[in-house]
Amino acid sequence: MSYCRQEGKDRIIFATKEDHETPSSAELVADDPDDPYEEQGLILPNGDINWNCPCLGGMASGPCGEQFKAAFSCFHYSTEEIKGSDCVDQFRAMQECMQKYPDLYPQEDENEEKEKLSKDLEATSMEASAAKEEKGSS
């Protein structure tokens, strides 16, 4: 005799051997590539960013969502030789916003993180300047 029982949030289903002898009558539906609810990944087929992708971990909808979208869009669409080197201001604005919400956006070690970001921003700025100077002298 098969039966179900609930334990907290879990539902436990007990099935008998006889329950499994009968073939399933479930019909499988073929995947529809045009289904708007189908998982599309981070980048949609048309090249746009899928802000609903679970891979973004909700970053696009949090209190710093607009800053995140601006920084991520800038990076995604960047045509600079050093991709994203033109997005330093957007990433800085995102970081400043995230620092206002330390409970939502915890940092591993604030001092280490600040030093790393500072060095990364400095390196990106120097690389961008060097690339622009190189373009100008060619």
Side-chain angles (χ1 to χ4, degrees):
M1 176 174 106
S2 57
Y3 67 96
C4 275
R5 80 170 189 233
Q6 195 80 23
E7 285 189 13
K9 66 176 181 51
D10 300 317
R11 175 185 242 180
I12 302 170
I13 302 171
F14 292 92
T16 63
K17 183 178 179 183
E18 291 79 27
D19 291 331
H20 288 286
E21 287 176 347
T22 308
S24 172
S25 60
E27 291 182 33
L28 299 177
V29 179
D31 288 339
D32 179 2
D34 298 323
D35 183 356
Y37 300 104
E38 184 67 30
E39 179 67 39
Q40 296 288 329
L42 179 59
I43 307 301
L44 297 170
N46 67 1
D48 289 344
I49 299 167
N50 178 8
W51 296 115
N52 295 321
C53 182
C55 61
L56 294 176
M59 290 291 294
S61 60
C64 299
E66 292 306 311
Q67 292 85 344
F68 174 78
K69 287 179 180 181
F72 196 88
S73 294
C74 181
F75 182 83
H76 176 65
Y77 296 112
S78 176
T79 57
E80 292 295 313
E81 190 165 324
I82 300 169
K83 188 165 180 82
S85 62
D86 52 336
C87 306
V88 173
D89 292 337
Q90 289 88 338
F91 278 98
R92 185 173 286 130
M94 181 182 76
Q95 185 197 24
E96 288 170 1
C97 178
M98 292 169 87
Q99 287 174 343
K100 294 176 187 174
Y101 302 93
D103 292 342
L104 291 174
Y105 308 105
Q107 295 183 0
E108 294 165 10
D109 179 327
E110 289 188 28
N111 292 334
E112 268 182 37
E113 196 66 31
K114 284 179 184 175
E115 288 175 19
K116 182 181 181 307
L117 179 66
S118 179
K119 288 178 184 174
D120 289 350
L121 290 173
E122 189 176 305
T124 303
S125 296
M126 289 172 39
E127 289 171 359
S129 297
K132 285 179 183 175
E133 286 176 16
E134 196 174 290
K135 277 185 178 178
S137 64
S138 327

